[in-house]
Amino acid sequence: MKKLIMAAVGGTVLGLVATSQIAGPLLAQEAENNASVYEQLDLFGDIFERIRTGYVAEVNDKELIEAAINGMLTSLDPHSSYLSADDAARMRVQTSGEFGGLGIEVTQEEGWVKVVSPMDGTPADAAGIIAGDFITAVNGESVLGLTLDDAVNMMRGPVGSEIIITIVRDGEVEPFDVSIIRDTIKLTAVRSRTEGNAVVLRITTFNDQTFPNLREGMEMQVAEAGGIDNIDGIVLDLRNNPGGLLNQAIIVSDAFLDAGEIVSTRGRAAGDGERWNAEPGDLAEGKPIVVLINGGSASASEIVAGALQDHRRAIVVGTNSFGKGSVQTVIPLRGDGAMRLTTARYYTPSGRSIQALGISPDIIVEQPRPRPTTEEEEDQPRQRTEADLRGSLDNDSLSEDEINQIEEDRARAEAAAQLREDDYQLAYAIDILKGLNALGPTAMVQQ
């Protein structure tokens, strides 16, 4: 026992000696780094003073400092930035679900402004702006070289005023101008409807209204269908959803999961990570789910799609998502401003990072671009059948109720065919639910 204690003490002493031997150079290096930082800060002060006194025009000290702060943050990544007091107030309004503007979520890529997604029912959506478009000029003025916030500020303006943005689009040979009238953006976070026997929940954004809207819409559609047993399943449409609040993405995922991890975040230090798990309860009561995504599905949308995909709770259909897998923390600053700083990365339950890769669909389904209808197609006569012939015999083998049922089935088939013309991806998702429902309750487990 005495030998063991001595060995332990000896080890401790040796450890202290080793630490003291290493600490000297480390402390010297840290002191040198600090000196270098202070020299750089002195350099910043010198430049700031030279600009104040020697620039050709008088400058605003506050704006100059804010520009320097923003430059420091935007040099880190496209999502870190400084928010002035006005910008911070505007951001708080946006997460509540109503604000003024065009209705597009944008990022920056190689100096240009890139559309992440247009928001449903907004002026940008009505003008035909699509995910992946590049905005190269606003009212004839190039945005190249501007910060993202500066470019966004150029697009802001009074409700009812016109803005002309120049678009570069994949597949188009030349840039083209689009005229948009600014409007008040009132976002309905979730729109619900029934297509055939499928409940479609179109989630446009993740704000404070998202989960309450989703639950209310789901309950209403199920009630109108006469109960959960009368629906084939649910389509969660996350296409062109640019994301939003992390807590809402977690709540929406939890709504369809009984247990297991939803998402985790990992920061710079080992202790900075967080993990969120699902609690018992499934809003869909085990009914199959198809999640629709595309290149405009980002951030919170990717969290939901990734969680349901990893737990095999849903089939993900569409095209690869945007790939924004980073966490931004909004830190209040003095003077009512704020700093938006990237502090962590998102990981799906299986440990996949979303960043730059996005969510890959289980089934890739492209959305065909609408083709213009020619006059010849519009004038094409309807195909004639036996029932159109004068004096044709009636069908005497069916009752009136059976004939009505056939007509209803035909109307549903025609509606489904029209949906394929209007929204091929959604029609594909509904077909999957129909097939899974036909296979029975074990289909989602076995797939």
Side-chain angles (χ1 to χ4, degrees):
M1 181 63 73
K2 287 182 180 178
K3 289 182 181 177
L4 181 60
I5 292 172
M6 287 302 293
V9 171
T12 304
V13 172
L14 287 172
L16 288 171
V17 171
T19 302
S20 64
Q21 288 174 343
I22 295 170
L26 286 177
L27 289 173
Q29 185 179 355
E30 186 178 350
E32 185 180 338
N33 289 340
N34 287 340
S36 176
V37 169
Y38 289 129
E39 285 176 7
Q40 294 297 314
L41 288 174
D42 286 341
L43 176 61
F44 172 79
D46 289 343
I47 293 171
F48 175 70
E49 196 58 37
R50 288 294 182 95
I51 294 172
R52 287 184 69 200
T53 57
Y55 187 63
V56 66
E58 190 174 346
V59 294
N60 183 300
D61 293 351
K62 181 174 179 290
E63 290 178 359
L64 196 60
I65 292 171
E66 286 185 351
I69 294 169
N70 196 47
M72 180 166 54
L73 287 164
T74 55
S75 71
L76 301 172
D77 66 78
H79 307 294
S80 295
S81 64
Y82 171 73
L83 300 171
S84 66
D86 289 343
D87 290 338
R90 193 176 293 113
M91 185 197 67
R92 287 190 288 271
V93 170
Q94 287 183 12
T95 56
S96 69
E98 182 176 327
F99 53 95
L102 305 181
I104 48 175
E105 178 81 8
V106 293
T107 187
Q108 200 161 34
E109 189 172 298
E110 296 179 358
W112 300 110
V113 176
K114 183 178 182 180
V115 176
V116 175
S117 65
M119 301 172 186
D120 284 2
T122 63
D125 184 36
I129 304 300
I130 62 174
D133 282 348
F134 283 91
I135 299 172
T136 59
V138 175
N139 291 329
E141 187 176 343
S142 174
V143 299
L144 184 63
L146 296 179
T147 67
L148 184 60
D149 284 342
D150 286 341
V152 169
N153 284 332
M154 286 178 66
M155 289 185 270
R156 291 190 177 121
V159 170
S161 61
E162 183 187 26
I163 178 175
I164 296 174
I165 58 175
T166 303
I167 296 292
V168 171
R169 178 176 294 169
D170 185 33
E172 298 287 341
V173 178
E174 297 288 337
F176 57 94
D177 290 340
V178 178
S179 172
I180 305 176
I181 305 299
R182 298 180 178 96
D183 199 359
T184 300
I185 310 301
K186 294 182 179 179
L187 290 179
T188 302
V190 182
R191 293 184 174 91
S192 63
R193 71 182 194 273
T194 299
E195 289 282 354
N197 293 328
V199 173
V200 180
L201 299 171
R202 168 78 180 122
I203 306 177
T204 59
T205 187
F206 287 88
N207 61 25
D208 292 332
Q209 306 168 20
T210 301
F211 179 66
N213 284 177
L214 181 138
R215 181 174 54 194
E216 181 183 350
M218 173 80 179
E219 290 173 351
M220 181 177 67
Q221 297 301 323
V222 169
E224 288 182 1
I228 195 80
D229 292 336
N230 294 328
I231 69 168
D232 290 339
I234 296 163
V235 176
L236 280 184
D237 188 353
L238 299 176
R239 292 173 299 175
N240 294 329
N241 182 323
L245 300 177
L246 171 61
N247 72 316
Q248 287 293 313
I250 292 168
I251 295 169
V252 168
S253 302
D254 193 0
F256 302 105
L257 293 172
D258 271 322
E261 182 181 308
I262 294 171
V263 67
S264 63
T265 61
R266 301 176 206 170
R268 180 174 173 179
D272 291 343
E274 289 189 74
R275 193 179 304 272
W276 289 268
N277 294 311
E279 297 179 357
D282 179 359
L283 198 62
E285 298 183 26
K287 284 288 183 177
I289 299 172
V290 173
V291 176
L292 280 176
I293 61 171
N294 65 4
S297 307
S299 192
S301 300
E302 295 172 292
I303 289 172
V304 174
L308 297 182
Q309 184 183 53
D310 279 3
H311 284 288
R312 303 177 71 84
R313 180 64 187 91
I315 296 173
V316 178
V317 173
T319 55
N320 211 66
S321 64
F322 184 75
K324 182 186 177 295
S326 58
V327 184
Q328 281 68 51
T329 302
V330 178
I331 304 165
L333 302 173
R334 65 184 68 181
D336 295 328
M339 174 172 63
R340 186 167 48 206
L341 185 67
T342 300
T343 54
R345 286 182 169 88
Y346 292 123
Y347 293 84
T348 70
S350 65
R352 293 181 294 163
S353 171
I354 298 168
Q355 180 59 28
L357 294 176
I359 300 295
S360 298
D362 298 307
I363 303 172
I364 296 175
V365 179
E366 298 279 352
Q367 182 82 305
R369 291 195 176 180
R371 60 183 180 86
T373 304
T374 63
E375 290 184 8
E376 288 182 6
E377 288 174 329
E378 288 179 349
D379 296 338
Q380 193 171 8
R382 182 178 69 85
Q383 184 176 348
R384 290 170 61 83
T385 68
E386 170 72 15
D388 295 318
L389 300 178
R390 183 182 301 168
S392 63
L393 298 176
D394 294 331
N395 188 313
D396 61 355
S397 67
L398 300 174
S399 67
E400 187 174 342
D401 289 342
E402 288 171 326
I403 291 172
N404 289 337
Q405 184 61 50
I406 289 173
E407 289 176 349
E408 288 176 11
D409 291 342
R410 182 178 295 154
R412 277 197 292 269
E414 289 174 353
Q418 183 60 47
L419 184 61
R420 286 187 185 86
E421 290 290 325
D422 298 339
D423 191 339
Y424 181 74
Q425 288 174 323
L426 178 58
Y428 196 104
I430 291 169
D431 285 344
I432 290 173
L433 289 179
K434 202 178 298 180
L436 290 173
N437 193 64
L439 289 174
T442 59
M444 285 299 292
V445 177
Q446 294 174 349
Q447 60 91 18

